[in-house]
Amino acid sequence: MKYELVSGLETHVELSTKTKIFCSCRTDFGGEPNTHCCPICIGLPGTLPKLNKEVVRYAIMAGLATNCEINLISKMDRKNYVYPDLPKAYQISQYDLPLCKNGYIQLDSGKKIRIARIHIEEDAGKLVHKGGDVYVDYNRGGVPLIEIVTQPDIRSSEEAREYVEKLQLIMRYIGVSDCKMQEGSMRCDVNISVRPEGSEEFGTRTEIKNMNSLTFMTKAMEYEKNRQIELIENGGKVEQETLRYIESSGTTESMRGKEDAHDYRYFREPDLVTIHTLSEEVENIRKSLPELPTARIKKYIEKFGISEKDAESIVKYKNISDFFEKAIQGIENPKIVSNFIIGQIFSTLNNEQEKESFDIKVSAESLNELCKLVESKKINVGLAKSTLLKMLETGKNVSNFISQEDMQSISEEKLLEICKKAVDSNPNAVKDYLSGKEKALKVLIGFVMKETKGKVDALNTQKNILDTIKNI
Ligand code: ADP
Ligand code: MG
Ligand code: ZN
């Protein structure tokens, strides 16, 4: 029998507000253990939480950017469980009135992965295992999170990956999180079940907790899918449980039986008031949202005439797209700029990591300056390319490689004169060309380029050379 994968994702995204969700401690990653803490975020009795308004605003931004409706009346609830990373023995989260609901993210295929809800909550501390001992670091305790929960709409590990990549990019564009999976500011819980192809009913699901890399997430999903299929084929039954993925062996193992909502004894958080949001506030946030990745891709293709592939490779990295937006200021044809980014600049970036951090020695202003020289035909593309490579290597500006004199454009008469000189001084090349060796033309064009230091347009040069030869 053929089986189909069914999956829904619960993604935690750490918000990059300056302070924590219920106190004024710092949220930055790292730092000496237990130094970003206060009586509130380590849960001492007698303290009272106060909701950080910025957290609500960030969560609404995230909701609007993923096509959600915003609940104008919302509230916080206690989720009770005992674990050493949670000193209060409850997490303040949201249960039945999350801030956002009913959104979606659209995949390239056009398919929509529906988002059931986005709620806000506090992060727990971190357990550190060292030499047989377990330590706890509460710096992360009380850092604001949003949890984005999809409907079980995902049908393959590729769809899951694309969904997470799109979500990550949207969150980065609106600036609510850096979404670094390796640092834990974005983590996914993956729910998985299988069912016979064509069946409408859902199978029993397992949940793999805390995936912090897309590669491992994909591998874990494939493994778990096959494990469940094999189990069912052999007459067994999938147990609803919570799993952990073991990176070294590529397998999953049981952490605990799956808890249900009633196990958490959810109840309204009595120390916090209802969250009322005005619809005008929501509209103001909507207006203030920056341009989203899909809108940028559309603009690059339709308005700038950039190919879909190139538009996507630029928009995929927020740093690069922002750099591009700056570098095209005052440029008529932005394609000149995108070609340099995808050609010369990308050739110096060796992997995804380097593209993401985009730590290059050339500023957007400097690239802009170079592109303007090309656009005004002061230098040709070939010279601009080699100059850009030198700029990338040294961090120096255009003026260090191309002098004022070099930039003086060459008049048509002057060009014709140099072309005549090229023909006069290379009789053999002319003879070769006339006897049918097309390639010989390159020698003549090369001569002109050398004479003009690459300032002239190659096509125009070729035309002038051919005219000259015709008139011999
Ligand atoms: P809980 O609150 O118990 O975790 P939810 O109904 O909120 O349960 O679902 C959590 C996640 O599990 C959601 O992303 C949902 O899409 C997904 N999910 C629910 N049922 C299934 C299923 N049968 N197979 C795969 N994923 C599922
Ligand atoms: Mg869950
Ligand atoms: Zn604190």
Side-chain angles (χ1 to χ4, degrees):
M1 201 184 318
K2 277 205 105 180
Y3 288 86
E4 175 180 61
L5 173 84
V6 173
S7 169
L9 261 53
E10 298 164 276
T11 308
H12 285 100
V13 168
E14 240 172 39
L15 298 179
S16 48
T17 53
K18 285 209 178 63
T19 56
K20 292 188 179 180
I21 184 166
F22 301 123
C23 63
S24 51
C25 293
R26 295 159 50 185
T27 54
D28 4 345
F29 179 75
E32 279 296 298
N34 299 307
T35 53
H36 304 165
C37 300
C38 74
I40 295 174
C41 58
I42 58 172
L44 293 189
T47 57
L48 286 173
K50 189 168 163 237
L51 180 60
N52 179 350
K53 208 172 166 184
E54 239 1 46
V55 171
V56 177
R57 198 170 69 87
Y58 276 36
I60 293 177
M61 284 169 78
L64 293 175
T66 51
N67 310 294
C68 286
E69 298 160 27
I70 308 301
N71 275 326
L72 298 180
I73 294 179
S74 179
K75 67 173 170 83
M76 306 303 299
D77 300 282
R78 282 191 188 181
K79 180 179 182 180
N80 298 279
Y81 66 91
V82 177
Y83 205 62
D85 63 3
L86 190 70
K88 299 196 294 289
Y90 60 83
Q91 179 192 29
I92 304 180
S93 179
Q94 296 196 289
Y95 183 50
D96 51 344
L97 274 178
L99 263 178
C100 320
K101 62 180 177 191
N102 299 338
Y104 65 86
I105 284 181
Q106 191 158 20
L107 304 184
D108 289 340
S109 65
K111 173 174 175 174
K112 288 177 179 169
I113 305 298
R114 289 169 302 156
I115 290 171
R117 55 187 277 144
I118 300 180
H119 67 254
I120 54 176
E121 63 187 23
E122 59 181 331
D123 207 346
K126 209 159 107 183
L127 296 185
V128 183
H129 300 261
K130 234 190 231 162
D133 292 323
V134 186
Y135 299 82
V136 62
D137 175 5
Y138 288 121
N139 280 353
R140 207 179 64 182
V143 167
L145 294 177
I146 49 177
E147 180 173 340
I148 301 141
V149 183
T150 74
Q151 299 284 3
D153 287 347
I154 293 164
R155 294 289 174 271
S156 66
S157 57
E158 292 81 37
E159 281 186 1
R161 171 189 269 272
E162 191 187 340
Y163 163 80
V164 175
E165 281 176 346
K166 292 230 146 60
L167 178 67
Q168 186 175 44
L169 197 60
I170 292 169
M171 295 302 132
R172 285 180 179 160
Y173 267 77
I174 61 175
V176 301
S177 174
D178 56 17
C179 287
K180 289 188 182 161
M181 290 188 93
Q182 68 282 9
E183 286 184 10
S185 58
M186 183 179 207
R187 331 188 268 271
C188 294
D189 298 343
V190 187
N191 296 272
I192 292 174
S193 64
V194 295
R195 63 180 176 188
E197 221 162 64
S199 154
E200 291 285 309
E201 247 169 82
F202 288 141
T204 306
R205 75 183 141 119
T206 57
E207 176 173 1
I208 313 173
K209 279 282 181 198
N210 272 329
M211 303 301 324
N212 58 7
S213 119
L214 285 174
T215 313
F216 286 133
M217 183 183 81
T218 316
K219 284 188 182 162
M221 288 180 81
E222 292 299 327
Y223 174 83
E224 184 56 18
K225 174 188 168 186
N226 292 329
R227 186 190 71 86
Q228 290 186 12
I229 293 173
E230 208 167 300
L231 195 62
I232 295 168
E233 290 275 278
N234 290 324
K237 251 174 68 183
V238 175
E239 294 289 337
Q240 184 169 335
E241 59 185 347
T242 303
L243 307 172
R244 180 196 345 255
Y245 181 65
I246 315 292
E247 291 171 8
S248 52
S249 58
T251 58
T252 53
E253 76 174 16
S254 180
M255 283 169 80
R256 51 179 190 256
K258 165 79 185 149
E259 50 289 279
D260 281 317
H262 63 254
D263 296 322
Y264 290 120
R265 296 292 189 272
Y266 276 104
F267 65 88
R268 167 134 197 197
E269 169 56 59
D271 291 338
L272 288 165
V273 296
T274 304
I275 307 168
H276 288 279
T277 310
L278 297 173
S279 50
E280 298 91 86
E281 285 178 294
V282 174
E283 287 322 302
N284 283 338
I285 295 174
R286 196 192 301 277
K287 273 186 231 136
S288 73
L289 279 184
E291 194 171 31
L292 296 176
T294 38
R296 270 206 180 163
I297 290 178
K298 193 162 180 270
K299 179 175 81 181
Y300 292 2
I301 296 172
E302 290 174 6
K303 206 166 143 210
F304 299 163
I306 295 173
S307 74
E308 187 176 334
K309 187 163 159 269
D310 288 358
E312 278 168 2
S313 345
I314 291 177
V315 173
K316 187 168 175 210
Y317 310 92
K318 178 163 191 293
N319 284 336
I320 299 181
S321 183
D322 287 347
F323 176 91
F324 171 74
E325 299 266 327
K326 253 198 224 157
I328 60 173
Q329 292 304 315
I331 300 268
E332 222 150 278
N333 181 10
K335 237 171 124 166
I336 298 178
V337 183
S338 62
N339 284 344
F340 284 139
I341 292 180
I342 288 181
Q344 286 61 45
I345 296 184
F346 275 14
S347 75
T348 67
L349 302 169
N350 299 310
N351 50 44
E352 289 289 298
Q353 204 91 45
E354 288 186 17
K355 282 184 183 167
E356 222 149 75
S357 50
F358 199 55
D359 195 7
I360 62 165
K361 289 189 179 146
V362 172
S363 67
E365 290 75 18
S366 195
L367 178 62
N368 177 268
E369 196 185 342
L370 180 72
C371 291
K372 280 184 174 154
L373 295 180
V374 176
E375 196 154 73
S376 60
K377 299 218 153 64
K378 294 215 167 104
I379 60 174
N380 72 9
V381 177
L383 179 62
K385 281 182 185 169
S386 55
T387 306
L388 179 55
L389 286 175
K390 287 184 210 152
M391 288 162 66
L392 284 162
E393 210 175 288
T394 59
K396 290 182 177 157
N397 285 342
V398 185
S399 58
N400 284 282
F401 304 104
I402 298 175
S403 70
Q404 217 45 40
E405 190 194 341
D406 290 337
M407 283 186 277
Q408 257 147 33
S409 49
I410 291 182
S411 66
E412 281 296 306
E413 295 91 68
K414 179 85 189 160
L415 175 62
L416 186 59
E417 196 182 297
I418 301 170
C419 287
K420 281 183 178 148
K421 192 171 160 199
V423 170
D424 287 343
S425 0
N426 297 282
N428 287 337
V430 175
K431 218 163 76 199
D432 286 350
Y433 175 74
L434 289 173
S435 67
K437 286 185 189 147
E438 292 269 335
K439 271 194 188 149
L441 204 52
K442 285 229 169 74
V443 176
L444 300 167
I445 296 173
F447 181 93
V448 178
M449 288 297 163
K450 208 163 161 196
E451 286 279 304
T452 61
K453 295 203 177 127
K455 276 185 284 181
V456 292
D457 179 69
L459 265 182
N460 196 20
T461 304
Q462 177 171 333
K463 183 181 159 286
N464 275 285
I465 290 175
L466 291 179
D467 285 349
T468 309
I469 294 178
K470 240 185 264 160
N471 291 330
I472 300 179

